[in-house]
Amino acid sequence: MRVQYLGSGSGEGGSPTLFATDRDTILVQGYVVTDPQALSDIGEVPDGETVVEITREILRFADEPLTVDPRNNRQRATSTEGQEAL
């Protein structure tokens, strides 16, 4: 899977953060929800999945990604597993 940084609520790559994949999906980095009432309201979460909390503000990056990745001041393309950037 190849990944592109879209933007972050922290401005420097902390949480929450959005990434786009070459699978036409979005990866979300956020805070794991542990609040018992919230998890009860959500219901069963399948094995291999988790619920994360993000701010509404970062959803704008899904349609309007940043052009520079502020985490290291490079073009926003990154990759996983040592693959070349997109």
Side-chain angles (χ1 to χ4, degrees):
M1 176 189 315
R2 299 194 48 190
V3 178
Q4 287 184 321
Y5 173 88
L6 297 178
S8 172
S10 70
E12 294 190 16
S15 285
T17 304
L18 290 184
F19 301 89
T21 74
D22 61 352
R23 299 179 188 184
D24 199 29
T25 60
I26 301 290
L27 302 180
V28 179
Q29 175 187 340
Y31 300 100
V32 174
V33 175
T34 59
D35 181 270
Q37 184 61 58
L39 294 172
S40 176
D41 291 345
I42 291 167
E44 184 178 343
V45 177
D47 288 343
E49 295 183 11
T50 193
V51 177
V52 298
E53 184 176 13
I54 62 171
T55 61
R56 288 180 181 267
E57 182 235 348
I58 70 160
L59 294 176
R60 67 186 168 101
F61 295 121
D63 291 324
E64 299 175 23
L66 295 176
T67 57
V68 174
D69 183 340
R71 298 172 301 165
N72 54 14
N73 216 16
R74 64 180 174 181
Q75 291 297 317
R76 68 184 176 109
T78 58
S79 62
T80 60
E81 299 179 27
Q83 298 174 1
E84 291 183 25
L86 295 176

